Amino acid sequence: MSAPLPLRNIAIIAHVDHGKTTLVDQLFRQSGTFRDNQRVEERAMDSNDLEKERGITILAKPTSVEWTPEGSDQAVRINIVDTPGHADFGGEVERILSMVDGVILLVDSSEGAMPQTKFVTGKALALGLRPIVVVNKVDRPDQRIQEVLDEVFDLFVTLDANDDQLDFPVLYASGRNGYASEDPDRREGTLVPLFQKIVDYVPPPALDVDAPFTFLATLLDRDNFLGRVLTGRVQSGTIRVNDPIRALDMDGNVIETGRASKLMTFRGLERVPVEEARAGDIISLAGLAVATVANTVAAPEVAVPIKAQPIDPPTLSMRFSVNDSPMAGREGSKVTSRMIRDRLEREGESNVAIKITESADKDSFEVAGRGELQLGVLIETMRREGFELGISRPRVLYGQDENGNRTEPYETVVIDVDDEHAGTVVEKMAIRKAEMTDMRPSGGGKTRITFSAPSRGLIGYHGEFLSDTRGTGIMNRLFDKYGPYKGKIEGRKNGVLISNGNGEAVAYALGPLEERGVLFVGVGEPLYEGMIIGENAKPEDLEVNPMKSKQLTNFRSTGKDDAIRLTPPRVMTLEQAIAYIDDDEMVEVTPKSIRLRKAILDPNERKKASRKKEAA
């Protein structure tokens, strides 16, 4: 059997939209992973539909390229892990970093070090990984390379980097155009300097090949033919197909025993079967039915588990319940609580940043996670799989300090906004109990404002923020800490228009309702009692009849039959709907529709519940 190739294991970390997936595309092309005539989609690593649509990386994915240094006849295998840039998916990042020996920190030459860069980089530096800094998009007309490098250095100092980590190498690159250089003024070339820097600077895995086999599961997925597939790095020893193995939990208890029925390693975008794997290899392993993320898979003689990285706790929760609206079961194929429970339990196994609790009535589930985006992606995925759900307003998870006082999660919020809108943003954030910690001009008529804000105050603010800034503002959020409870925060100011019956929306009825506020439904849409059809211009809720038809008579007069012209209704995305609803409201999610409704559909029952709440 041929000798294994020299190995390098690296993770690429960056803020959302700083270009890491595009850079990986170019690494594929220039290493010869793709044939010259092979048709490959852009952002090949963003393989799931939601990632393609949103342009963000949601799932961490390993891949590998082989590159032969100049003057050498032996290739080096570089295992690359493309990590999510959004802090909501940080559970992925924290585990992934235990698989690698070095990191490439990618920063945009204009935006610089952003809050989510701070999140992942802090985790990497704490593990002792030495970063290679790549300033990407150097061809941007608004690049400010030197200031960005100063920001990166300041960030490392803030994160308590050691002297070795502070002495980081720097490359200047354009991932889209496929070049990297140590010269900041160069605007052409290839990525050879980056390949060379990885080989020279990232150490090979310093692991014991002769010790018994151990492996820490960091990712879990399912295959229709192989069953459970665990992905991670071999920490010691060698494993061959059909070797006996067993899984240990964090306390060293044996969960199950079995055999390694299939071993796969990553070659480009594909998983390729192999007969054996050695310490340092990143592999996928099939053959176990119960073992999950953070479990140790090892040879039968191993009794001590590998220590897994602790995961930051969830900060936000939503209630997922069975859809009980009058339209339930019309569009989805998976509508029972048992199906929802099974699907959520599967998600909880593979996504360690999510916690699931079943309610006493067995019809709803409390799902806690990192943020609205993470839970929104889960709901959207379930919706596409045919599920029907009722989703409650997000609520933050409170804690307690040592004196028994209530604490709540705080976030660092960095906002880039045109100078003219800065005052409005500061005013709105102050209403939400946010404290401004920094404000500075960022060039090009823009201001960068940093706040420390309770997460509770930010729920539902993003839509209002985009309206206030005419769609030009950019908001980045990152969980910071648990701090003192800030008291009552004002929620949505406007009430809603509620349908008082079942039927279809009629133009004759919707015309006058437009004067009351903004409509969410159009002509011909099916409605039911308790469904929210629009936003009231006043603070109170208003029950209306959007199905009222014109009374036909024998008399006609001029002007009576003028065509009714309606403004197009406001159509909300899933995230906008979840952020919009109030505590007594829900979002009905089906494969084809997103509807807003009151949690209690019957108006009399609603009034009773409201009186009880006021009395309490």
Side-chain angles (χ1 to χ4, degrees):
M1 190 170 177
S2 60
L5 297 177
L7 258 186
R8 300 291 185 274
N9 293 326
I10 60 159
I12 299 186
I13 56 180
H15 184 77
V16 179
D17 258 359
H18 281 200
K20 46 182 188 314
T21 308
T22 305
L23 181 71
V24 174
D25 277 2
Q26 289 290 350
L27 290 172
F28 281 150
R29 287 195 164 82
Q30 297 191 24
S31 64
T33 303
F34 298 150
R35 298 188 313 276
D36 291 342
N37 63 347
Q38 186 172 345
R39 183 179 175 277
V40 181
E41 291 186 43
E42 265 187 47
R43 302 198 332 274
M45 290 294 284
D46 284 350
S47 52
N48 122 356
D49 287 345
L50 278 176
E51 292 180 317
K52 284 189 169 69
E53 287 169 25
R54 294 166 185 247
I56 59 172
T57 302
I58 293 170
L59 303 170
K61 289 173 284 290
T63 183
S64 82
V65 298
E66 287 179 15
W67 180 74
T68 308
E70 286 177 29
S72 169
D73 57 356
Q74 186 177 36
V76 178
R77 171 160 297 124
I78 302 171
N79 286 324
I80 302 168
V81 184
D82 186 13
T83 61
H86 200 288
D88 277 19
F89 308 109
E92 294 277 331
V93 176
E94 290 164 48
R95 301 189 316 255
I96 281 298
L97 292 174
S98 64
M99 289 166 40
V100 299
D101 304 295
V103 293
I104 293 175
L105 171 61
L106 204 66
V107 287
D108 186 295
S109 65
S110 170
E111 292 184 6
M114 299 292 276
Q116 282 150 18
T117 316
K118 176 182 175 183
F119 169 79
V120 189
T121 310
K123 301 286 181 191
L125 294 177
L127 288 170
L129 300 174
R130 293 165 67 201
I132 298 169
V133 174
V134 177
V135 180
N136 195 27
K137 306 187 185 181
V138 291
D139 50 348
R140 280 183 68 152
D142 57 348
Q143 55 87 359
R144 44 186 196 96
I145 292 170
Q146 199 49 54
E147 293 98 312
V148 166
L149 275 179
D150 292 343
E151 285 175 18
V152 171
F153 188 83
D154 292 345
L155 174 65
F156 283 11
V157 171
T158 309
L159 295 171
D160 297 328
N162 61 37
D163 291 346
D164 278 351
Q165 291 168 328
L166 288 173
D167 187 20
F168 53 83
V170 181
L171 290 171
Y172 307 92
S174 168
R176 190 175 58 183
N177 297 318
Y179 61 80
S181 169
E182 294 186 4
D183 176 3
D185 299 320
R186 187 142 182 207
R187 296 291 178 269
E188 60 180 10
T190 65
L191 290 175
V192 167
L194 178 56
F195 281 117
Q196 193 65 54
K197 193 65 76 179
I198 293 169
V199 172
D200 293 345
Y201 193 75
V202 177
L207 302 169
D208 188 352
V209 181
D210 301 319
F213 165 73
T214 58
F215 163 97
L216 181 66
T218 51
L219 296 171
L220 168 72
D221 57 64
R222 278 178 171 71
D223 184 283
N224 291 337
F225 303 104
L226 301 173
R228 259 173 137 76
V229 178
L230 298 164
T231 299
R233 179 165 79 158
V234 181
Q235 298 288 3
S236 66
T238 304
I239 185 169
R240 294 174 184 81
V241 174
N242 280 331
D243 277 359
I245 51 175
R246 65 181 188 174
L248 309 172
D249 65 15
M250 289 192 211
D251 301 321
N253 304 315
V254 178
I255 302 167
E256 67 171 323
T257 56
R259 289 188 177 274
S261 60
K262 188 96 171 179
L263 298 176
M264 291 166 288
T265 186
F266 295 87
R267 300 286 182 269
L269 296 176
E270 295 169 0
R271 280 201 292 220
V272 180
V274 290
E275 286 302 308
E276 79 164 27
R278 299 157 63 88
D281 286 337
I282 293 176
I283 62 164
S284 293
L285 176 150
L288 295 173
V290 181
T292 186
V293 167
N295 290 161
T296 299
V297 179
E301 63 267 27
V302 175
V304 180
I306 301 167
K307 189 171 180 294
Q309 276 295 107
I311 302 295
D312 285 348
T315 57
L316 196 79
S317 80
M318 293 182 195
R319 197 173 71 254
F320 288 43
S321 56
V322 172
N323 182 18
D324 60 356
S325 88
M327 294 184 195
R330 293 189 189 179
E331 296 174 3
S333 56
K334 297 169 183 169
V335 296
T336 64
S337 60
R338 182 183 59 79
M339 288 173 163
I340 295 169
R341 183 197 306 112
D342 291 348
R343 176 64 180 85
L344 289 175
E345 283 175 355
R346 281 211 314 276
E347 186 69 26
E349 279 180 359
S350 59
N351 189 343
V352 291
I354 279 182
K355 298 279 180 291
I356 291 132
T357 318
E358 190 169 5
S359 67
D361 62 7
K362 304 287 186 190
D363 268 356
S364 63
F365 307 86
E366 200 72 27
V367 182
R370 285 288 181 80
E372 291 157 88
L373 179 61
Q374 184 195 28
L375 294 177
V377 164
L378 171 59
I379 296 163
E380 181 65 38
T381 306
M382 290 177 68
R383 175 188 179 205
R384 292 179 184 205
E385 291 169 3
F387 283 89
E388 289 195 7
L389 302 163
I391 307 294
S392 75
R393 176 178 166 81
R395 62 182 186 83
V396 299
L397 299 174
Y398 297 109
Q400 276 191 335
D401 62 14
E402 57 272 14
N403 301 321
N405 299 320
R406 185 195 256 190
T407 59
E408 64 176 321
Y410 280 66
E411 297 184 27
T412 300
V413 186
V414 177
I415 290 176
D416 286 296
V417 65
D418 291 343
D419 295 343
E420 63 190 284
H421 303 308
T424 309
V425 169
V426 171
E427 183 186 333
K428 290 285 178 74
M429 289 294 280
I431 292 170
R432 288 169 164 72
K433 304 287 176 81
E435 292 176 12
M436 186 166 66
T437 56
D438 187 31
M439 184 173 184
R440 63 176 72 171
S442 54
K446 286 189 174 290
T447 302
R448 176 169 290 182
I449 318 169
T450 308
F451 296 93
S452 175
S455 302
R456 192 165 44 103
L458 298 170
I459 294 171
Y461 174 54
H462 197 254
E464 192 179 330
F465 166 75
L466 288 176
S467 301
D468 290 344
T469 60
R470 307 286 187 272
T472 59
I474 297 172
M475 179 195 294
N476 290 291
R477 296 162 49 177
L478 171 67
F479 171 71
D480 180 25
K481 61 182 180 188
Y482 267 82
Y485 177 66
K486 283 271 191 170
K488 191 172 186 300
I489 294 176
E490 190 178 309
R492 192 180 71 205
K493 290 189 177 70
N494 296 60
V496 288
L497 304 175
I498 308 164
S499 170
N500 66 359
N502 304 328
E504 286 188 357
V506 177
Y508 179 74
L510 293 181
L513 291 180
E514 279 199 336
E515 297 165 18
R516 298 279 189 179
V518 181
L519 295 181
F520 300 157
V521 296
V523 177
E525 283 190 39
L527 310 176
Y528 54 82
E529 186 178 41
M531 181 171 158
I532 295 169
I533 63 151
E535 180 180 278
N536 193 3
K538 295 181 178 177
E540 62 275 357
D541 292 346
L542 185 65
E543 286 184 37
V544 295
N545 181 3
M547 291 141 309
K548 185 170 69 174
S549 301
K550 185 174 181 182
Q551 296 300 315
L552 297 176
T553 67
N554 289 332
F555 295 98
R556 285 189 168 74
S557 64
T558 56
K560 277 286 169 82
D561 294 318
D562 284 349
I564 296 168
R565 288 190 175 84
L566 294 173
T567 310
R570 188 205 294 181
V571 178
M572 293 194 191
T573 64
L574 176 62
E575 269 93 7
Q576 287 168 338
I578 291 168
Y580 181 82
I581 55 174
D582 225 328
D583 292 335
D584 64 337
E585 296 163 3
M586 292 171 72
V587 181
E588 179 190 350
V589 179
T590 71
K592 295 180 184 169
S593 312
I594 294 170
R595 303 184 186 97
L596 304 185
R597 51 165 281 192
K598 286 290 181 182
I600 301 171
L601 296 177
D602 184 277
N604 297 318
E605 294 297 324
R606 246 193 338 267
K607 288 190 184 93
K608 280 183 201 168
S610 172
R611 280 198 293 271
K612 265 188 201 168
K613 192 176 172 185
E614 284 168 13

